[in-house]
Amino acid sequence: CHEHRSLEVSQGERVFFSLKDMRSQDSEKIESMGSPCTLHQVDVDTVLLLRVWASWDDTPNRGPEISSSDLRNVGELRIPLDRLVCHCQSMLYQTWLTLDAPSHTQASAGYSDEITNLEQKIADGAEQLLRPRVCLSICKTADLGASGKLLLSPDADPDARERQWGPLLRSQQQHAIMSTAMHTQSL
């Protein structure tokens, strides 16, 4: 998660995000906004749950359970990996997606809506500038550089450049739409 916009966060609150494989009973990984988060051995038919949190603490509880006294859920997003593979060439690169309001139901609630929801979240990420949203990149660990960062390099081998072209183009198109919308709305 690179950054966020339009979240209901008070001045002085820090923003964190967590990522969870919804099929796994393991706890969520909590990271500071802008930090990478790696999940290992995630099946393509799983759904990732990304939640965005606000906290007055600089380092909220990172133990096995997320404590609601340390963190306040300000938005979430379900990402079905099979949709990411089929419609996004297995990668999102610097892509804005809108967030849903925090869920107070079971983590698996709303799964039927996820099938078409990812594409709409990406479209809305560029157009709905005042809605809560995050900019994120998702890729296979094999696509990470030696530094652990997702690098789309002009000197990459032709196969890697071809695989990464679609996600890079999608990001550029989305940012062009955002620039036009900001100019039109004078934001």
Side-chain angles (χ1 to χ4, degrees):
C1 228
H2 302 288
E3 59 183 296
H4 61 86
R5 292 284 184 268
S6 302
L7 297 177
E8 291 186 27
V9 179
S10 299
Q11 186 173 352
E13 276 187 302
R14 299 246 348 235
V15 177
F16 299 87
F17 73 96
S18 64
L19 196 59
K20 178 181 176 69
D21 175 344
M22 293 185 51
R23 290 180 19 181
S24 172
Q25 294 301 317
D26 293 339
S27 62
E28 296 179 63
K29 290 185 167 197
I30 300 176
E31 298 293 342
S32 297
M33 192 61 66
S35 299
C37 181
T38 304
L39 296 178
H40 297 283
Q41 299 178 349
V42 178
D43 294 327
V44 73
D45 61 342
T46 195
V47 175
L48 298 180
L49 174 63
L50 178 132
R51 291 197 247 196
V52 181
W53 306 91
S55 176
W56 294 104
D57 295 332
D58 285 341
T59 54
N61 177 13
R62 294 175 186 237
E65 294 295 322
I66 294 177
S67 169
S68 59
S69 63
D70 292 343
L71 299 166
R72 181 172 56 85
N73 187 344
V74 293
E76 58 188 45
L77 173 67
R78 287 173 178 76
I79 305 165
L81 290 186
D82 59 348
R83 298 298 286 182
L84 187 73
V85 169
C86 291
H87 295 280
C88 300
Q89 295 169 289
S90 302
M91 179 186 288
L92 292 178
Y93 178 73
Q94 300 268 333
T95 304
W96 287 95
L97 295 99
T98 54
L99 296 170
D100 293 320
S103 174
H104 300 289
T105 60
Q106 289 287 345
S108 61
Y111 181 75
S112 61
D113 295 339
E114 295 162 5
I115 301 305
T116 57
N117 206 14
L118 181 64
E119 292 85 3
Q120 189 63 50
K121 296 286 184 194
I122 292 170
D124 289 347
E127 297 169 355
Q128 303 293 321
L129 301 180
L130 300 178
R131 287 204 42 212
R133 58 199 176 109
V134 292
C135 179
L136 62 117
S137 295
I138 300 175
C139 69
K140 298 175 186 174
T141 53
D143 292 328
L144 297 175
S147 66
K149 293 185 178 184
L150 177 59
L151 302 174
L152 302 184
S153 173
D155 60 341
D157 68 81
D159 289 338
R161 288 173 54 187
E162 185 177 326
R163 277 192 320 274
Q164 296 170 346
W165 176 250
L168 178 61
L169 183 60
R170 181 182 315 102
S171 176
Q172 189 277 332
Q173 290 170 335
Q174 190 185 51
H175 282 83
I177 292 167
M178 286 172 46
S179 294
T180 301
M182 285 181 193
H183 178 72
T184 302
Q185 296 176 16
S186 298
L187 291 179

